[in-house]
Amino acid sequence: MHDSKNMGMDTICIHAGLKDNKEGAVVTPIFQTSTFKFQNADHGARLFKGEEDGYIYTRMRNPTVEAMEDAVAALEGGYKALGCGSGMAAVHTLFATVLAAGDHIVCCNAAYGPTIVILNDFFTKYGVEVSFVDTSDLDAVRNAMKSNTKMIFVETPGNPTLVISDIAEISKIAKQYNAKLAVDNTFMSPIYQRPFDLGADYIMHSMTKFLNGHADVVAGIIIVNNKEDYTKFRKTLNMLGGVIDPFNSFLVHRGVKTLGMRVRYQAENAMEIAKYLENHPKVEKVFFPGLPSHPQYEIGLKQMSGHGSMIAIELKGGYDAGKKLMDNITLFTLAVSLGGVESLIQHPASMTHAGMGREARLAGNITDGLVRIAVGCENLEDLIKALEDGLATV
Ligand SMILES: *Cc1c(COP(=O)(O)O)cnc(C)c1O
């Protein structure tokens, strides 16, 4: 593997994680095997004792999976990474490793819906205490801390209004209480935000989104920054079994090579689209970290090196306008998810956040006319034209 410490992010994307191999393959091949042959009884025994480095069984370790993990760990500046079968498998493994009965977790209220549900409906069953707070408000974080708080979990920018939380300041609060800070870095990707540099202890991603980037894989990952944590997390993942498979690892690793190029192109498109929408007569409000009108614009400048490509807009016409736009827009695919090369659009009030009820939605600024746009890599003029025509029908 290349020493990536002093290299640029695109160089890391393209080169990190390649396994040297005697055949000279330029990309790590797909080791589509469940198990690995021992040379003899002694060899098998040494591998199981950890006296010799090698592969035993794919749930525990696999070269294709490891190549992808090493690439993502290098991008985040971490020690090692753990590939998971989905972003939610990563969330589950993270919580199951760090939290035990009697522990308390502070979780941002703008987290991905299923992250909130897994805490509320599953971890509370095992005696974990949960508080959801607006983590963009540091006093609210301080007030939520307890003597048994073991973890703060922050997603920033958060779902779906792109509220930004101050990672460095929250990490100081976590340290005061001897708690760990975990960051869901899915929306920014390591290209624009590196939470370890800001004091986070753990990072996770839904690799389904930007890291893979082509809307054809469901996968997740946890990145840790020391050996002790790695050993603990690897044990949980081996036992719970939510690992990624070699083929999906290969696809994600392939996607990672163009991560920088894709993310920057998408962000450029998104900036122009956000400016266009901010001046559109049918749009009440635009939530975009790249616009000075974003409530935490300054915090974004401090901790992110770019503004990403997720945009939320509030339509003046409310719920009906939202549905109308969904039914009439072209080019933007009506679908949940984000981070792929294709632009997507969805209406949280009737889709992703319909189940939480109107009152809870409004408390989280998810108004009836809110529309979430994931900007892709199409030509800007085509995207603007599609928005123009779509909004004309509203
Ligand atoms: C999609 C997503 C997840 C969950 O990931 P899956 O791969 O769908 O399991 C978690 N966090 C964020 C921010 C996401 O966008």
Side-chain angles (χ1 to χ4, degrees), residues 117-137:
V117 176
I118 199 177
L119 286 173
N120 259 340
D121 294 5
F122 292 88
F123 279 90
T124 51
K125 278 202 310 201
Y126 303 111
V128 172
E129 233 188 301
V130 189
S131 303
F132 294 103
V133 304
D134 173 359
T135 50
S136 72
D137 176 353

Side-chain angles (χ1 to χ4, degrees), residues 56-71:
I56 296 174
Y57 184 64
T58 282
R59 174 159 45 73
M60 300 156 77
R61 242 182 116 186
N62 173 287
T64 314
V65 174
E66 211 164 61
M68 177 281 294
E69 291 172 335
D70 288 349

Side-chain angles (χ1 to χ4, degrees), residues 273 276-277 280 313 325 329-330 332 345 373 382-392:
I273 289 172
Y276 163 78
L277 290 170
H280 198 285
I313 59 170
L325 181 62
I329 193 152
T330 57
F332 288 79
I345 194 162
I373 303 171
D382 297 330
L383 292 173
I384 299 242
K385 174 87 172 42
L387 285 166
E388 180 105 24
D389 293 347
L391 285 166

Side-chain angles (χ1 to χ4, degrees), residues 259-273:
L259 178 68
M261 296 170 235
R262 285 187 280 109
V263 162
R264 283 192 301 273
Y265 195 87
Q266 283 168 288
E268 274 174 38
N269 272 350
M271 188 73 225
E272 294 310 312
I273 289 172

Side-chain angles (χ1 to χ4, degrees), residues 85-91 110-115 153 155-159 184-187 204-209 217-220 337-338 372:
S86 68
M88 286 315 297
V91 169
Y112 183 70
T115 301
F153 183 91
E155 182 181 317
T156 179
N159 247 305
D184 183 336
N185 202 24
T186 300
F187 273 26
M204 56 110 349
H205 285 269
S206 166
M207 300 199 294
T208 311
K209 317 296 167 52
V217 169
V218 170
S337 199
L338 57 117
R372 195 184 80 174

Side-chain angles (χ1 to χ4, degrees), residues 104 106-109 131-146 152 170 173 177:
H104 173 242
V106 172
C107 180
C108 73
N109 62 1
S131 303
F132 294 103
V133 304
D134 173 359
T135 50
S136 72
D137 176 353
L138 294 173
D139 284 331
V141 178
R142 277 186 207 102
N143 289 337
M145 297 301 285
K146 299 181 181 190
I152 305 178
I170 293 173
I173 299 172
Y177 284 81

